[in-house]
Amino acid sequence: MLLIKCPICDCEGDETDFHYGGEGHIQRPTSSNPDKVGDEAQRDYLYVRKNPRGLHSERWLCERGCGKWFHALRDTATMVISKTYLITDKPPAELKKAGKK
Amino acid sequence: MQKYSIFTLARNAANYHKGWGLAWRSPEPKSEYDIVIIGAGGHGLATAYYLAKRHNLTNVAVVEKGWLGGGNTGRNTTIIRSNYLQDESAAIYELSRSLYEGLAQELNYNVMFSPRGLFMLCMTEHELRGFKRHAHANRLSGIESRMVSAEEVKRKIPILNVSPTARYPLLGALYQPRGGTARHDAVAWGYARGADNLGVDILQNCAVTGITRRGGKVTGIDTVKGHIKAKKVAIVTAGSTTLLGDMAGLKLPIESVTLQACVSEPIKPVLDVVIMAGTVHGYMSQSDKGELVIGGGADEYNNYSQRGSFPAIEHTITSLAELFPIIRRLKMLRQWAGIVDMTGDRSPIIGKTDVDGLYLNCGWGTGGFKSIPGSGLVFADTIANDRPHPIAEPFGLNRFAEGRLIDESIAAGVAH
């Protein structure tokens, strides 16, 4: 059971009070000309995931609190949530340090 | 290999069972193999077995981080069925199910395949309509599968709560008469013994630390026991596929999540079929020992811990307690979890990769056990001939870039 604290409304609750939204910081490939978005870029956006064993940046919804989305840094092996941050924030430095990709 | 039969049993009984040899060797790694398979679970061992048996390729090693059959092969709920909606899925799962029928004879190892019949309950109008479509699709694919009425289900499963006050009313079921269960460990052990006997080296406690390549071609693997050269390398590691893929620079459409299961204390026979209830996320069968084997939906978030989260198992148990009121006071003996590799369309990935000589068999998600024989057979053929087997072809990694998905995300409506 995860204990999560929303960085926006400061509500703390277990994982059933929140909703998981998958990997964070995935950008949709955009172009004024959709033909220029290749199949590989579209595949990466839709399906390819980092899926690390270790530090993982992910999105959570504060479902029974403020109703806002936010980011969390969680270790997928130990389940420790080391940080939560706003949905608009850039990926934190520790993620880049841990990430190989 | 010592053949197992009533005669060897009698002979060994006379000798107080002291004469049984080991079922497989524990060899030291050779410096080079033609083919190295990473992962000694059911799929990896079956692949090795069929490479040796059907393609005469015996200079093969299966390397395993822990012990053989110690991952998802030993952690599933052993359900076997093939009543999938899409033609591609029906083909590979029915191949697999039909191979299970003769597997004990083929391997000379009792895998306890028990085609006891499998019911997928319909509890909403939409589910009923969806499963009718399944039944029609299955009939077109030549799979024996049909709809049965709620009365018939109740006759077959008296312990099922069909009261009109139940949270979800029973409307009928999709029935596969030759679906059922098998002994999961025995499937791994049988394939291991068969492969070992044909000359395949099974290297346990030999974690892979790297996949070496030169000029876009695979050259071998680094392991904790040293470098092993190989002409072909196959990754068959389920939940750890991404970690192996990273070693070879593959981009994979996979997320690893936990799938939990549990067994109750043993009780007298109450359930002689397999029950799956997709609407409420639970399934159950009774083992030969009398334990109720229970599973449900996968956990929500990425997880490599092999433990799982309490809300998921609570959800499964509450659903099944509603369906089967007599189990409410049963104690659970064990609970565990495996790491399943989920793809975007909930269908597996079988075939070649962009790296020459590197093959991939993964993404079975929650449906890995039932597909072991078929997956091993078509993957062995794919590796041996360096082109996808016709049944494996639709499951290539390229389908995600081509947008040609094989959508089975509602195949069970529940982890299966």
Side-chain angles (χ1 to χ4, degrees):
Chain A
M1 178 81 81
L2 300 178
L3 277 180
I4 304 172
K5 190 170 182 185
C6 172
I8 299 158
C9 67
D10 270 350
C11 276
E12 194 175 36
D14 68 40
E15 63 188 58
T16 53
D17 295 330
F18 294 82
H19 179 75
Y20 182 60
E23 185 180 317
H25 306 295
I26 295 175
Q27 286 189 347
R28 182 171 183 163
T30 52
S31 166
S32 55
N33 179 4
D35 286 346
K36 288 203 172 134
V37 178
D39 291 347
E40 275 73 27
Q42 195 72 6
R43 172 203 63 193
D44 291 355
Y45 165 64
L46 286 171
Y47 304 113
V48 171
R49 296 292 177 262
K50 293 195 177 83
N51 192 28
R53 187 181 198 280
L55 211 55
H56 186 234
S57 161
E58 55 200 27
R59 292 172 305 174
W60 285 87
L61 174 69
C62 182
E63 202 168 35
R64 294 182 196 170
C66 62
K68 298 255 177 23
W69 285 95
F70 62 92
H71 279 119
L73 277 189
R74 183 176 58 92
D75 190 305
T76 58
T78 64
M79 302 298 119
V80 172
I81 296 174
S82 51
K83 186 174 188 171
T84 55
Y85 55 101
L86 300 183
I87 198 72
T88 47
D89 287 353
K90 291 259 182 327
E94 50 262 55
L95 185 68
K96 274 190 195 129
K97 221 184 292 171
K100 51 224 169 292
K101 289 186 262 190
Chain B
M1 180 173 76
Q2 188 174 16
K3 193 167 158 48
Y4 295 157
S5 71
I6 185 73
F7 302 108
T8 49
L9 183 64
R11 205 158 43 242
N12 279 286
N15 193 22
Y16 299 99
H17 294 294
K18 287 177 187 164
W20 295 106
L22 293 174
W24 53 80
R25 303 162 296 134
S26 294
E28 283 303 307
K30 290 195 270 182
S31 63
E32 185 170 0
Y33 291 93
D34 289 340
I35 301 166
V36 166
I37 296 165
I38 305 172
H43 290 258
L45 293 166
T47 305
Y49 173 79
Y50 290 116
L51 276 171
K53 181 85 178 178
R54 301 212 171 187
H55 303 280
N56 272 327
L57 296 166
T58 54
N59 189 18
V60 175
V62 187
V63 297
E64 166 59 45
K65 166 174 72 173
W67 64 94
L68 69 86
N72 294 349
T73 305
R75 292 167 190 268
N76 59 78
T77 49
T78 77
I79 294 172
I80 296 166
R81 62 183 184 88
S82 62
N83 49 358
Y84 280 73
L85 179 63
Q86 310 292 349
D87 293 350
E88 299 89 342
S89 315
I92 192 158
Y93 286 107
E94 176 59 14
L95 168 69
S96 203
R97 199 208 57 77
S98 61
L99 285 168
Y100 265 118
E101 298 258 4
L103 196 59
Q105 286 74 26
E106 157 113 27
L107 297 175
N108 179 230
Y109 203 98
N110 187 5
V111 299
M112 297 167 69
F113 176 58
S114 164
R116 57 184 67 179
L118 179 142
F119 289 86
M120 296 171 83
L121 306 183
C122 307
M123 297 168 137
T124 64
E125 285 293 341
H126 311 89
E127 203 175 18
L128 185 69
R129 227 173 291 153
F131 278 147
K132 275 182 185 166
R133 189 177 167 213
H134 269 231
H136 295 317
N138 292 156
R139 195 161 57 235
L140 291 173
S141 303
I143 295 168
E144 193 188 354
S145 165
R146 63 171 191 270
M147 293 302 293
V148 292
S149 67
E151 293 72 38
E152 204 173 327
V153 177
K154 177 64 181 173
R155 233 179 358 259
K156 188 73 185 160
I157 312 158
I159 63 168
L160 187 65
N161 175 19
V162 293
S163 129
T165 60
R167 173 68 181 82
Y168 289 101
L170 181 69
L171 303 176
L174 179 65
Y175 175 50
Q176 183 169 24
R178 297 297 288 176
T181 61
R183 169 95 163 94
H184 52 1
D185 293 325
V187 173
W189 296 337
Y191 273 121
R193 175 169 167 268
D196 178 87
N197 178 54
L198 294 168
V200 172
D201 282 359
I202 301 168
L203 312 170
Q204 301 181 75
N205 298 309
C206 186
V208 173
T209 54
I211 295 172
T212 55
R213 289 159 290 152
R214 192 181 307 128
K217 189 176 176 358
V218 78
T219 57
I221 56 168
D222 291 321
T223 74
V224 292
K225 292 185 177 175
H227 182 71
I228 299 173
K229 280 197 264 185
K231 295 188 185 79
K232 294 177 178 178
V233 173
I235 300 174
V236 198
T237 53
S240 303
T241 300
T242 303
L243 310 179
L244 271 300
D246 286 348
M247 294 177 191
L250 299 181
K251 280 184 173 180
L252 296 175
I254 285 176
E255 293 196 84
S256 299
V257 300
T258 45
L259 177 63
Q260 302 184 66
C262 54
V263 292
S264 74
E265 58 191 324
I267 53 174
K268 287 189 174 179
V270 293
L271 182 66
D272 60 358
V273 294
V274 181
I275 283 289
M276 306 184 71
T279 295
V280 296
H281 300 150
Y283 47 90
M284 191 165 88
S285 64
Q286 189 168 23
S287 75
D288 292 353
K289 282 188 285 185
E291 301 161 335
L292 294 175
V293 184
I294 289 169
D299 285 21
E300 199 180 7
Y301 43 83
N302 297 41
N303 187 340
Y304 279 89
S305 72
Q306 287 188 322
R307 275 195 295 275
S309 180
F310 184 70
I313 203 78
E314 184 188 27
H315 178 65
T316 299
I317 295 290
T318 48
S319 310
L320 289 173
E322 169 75 14
L323 278 180
F324 303 102
I326 69 157
I327 72 167
R328 284 182 182 180
R329 286 169 180 242
L330 275 183
K331 295 178 188 72
M332 290 299 143
L333 277 189
R334 298 186 298 280
Q335 172 272 341
W336 66 92
I339 315 170
V340 294
D341 43 343
M342 307 292 255
T343 57
D345 59 358
R346 301 293 183 263
S347 285
I349 300 166
I350 317 167
K352 302 170 68 168
T353 65
D354 290 340
V355 181
D356 200 15
L358 184 67
Y359 302 84
L360 197 58
N361 185 351
C362 64
W364 291 96
T366 57
F369 176 73
K370 68 172 77 73
S371 51
I372 286 172
S375 154
L377 191 105
V378 300
F379 194 46
D381 184 86
T382 301
I383 297 171
N385 299 311
D386 194 36
R387 55 103 189 90
H389 182 280
I391 288 182
E393 200 166 10
F395 296 99
L397 187 55
N398 50 358
R399 74 173 185 271
F400 293 95
E402 293 167 7
R404 187 179 41 78
L405 303 185
I406 303 167
D407 185 7
E408 289 293 355
S409 41
I410 54 154
V414 61
H416 49 125

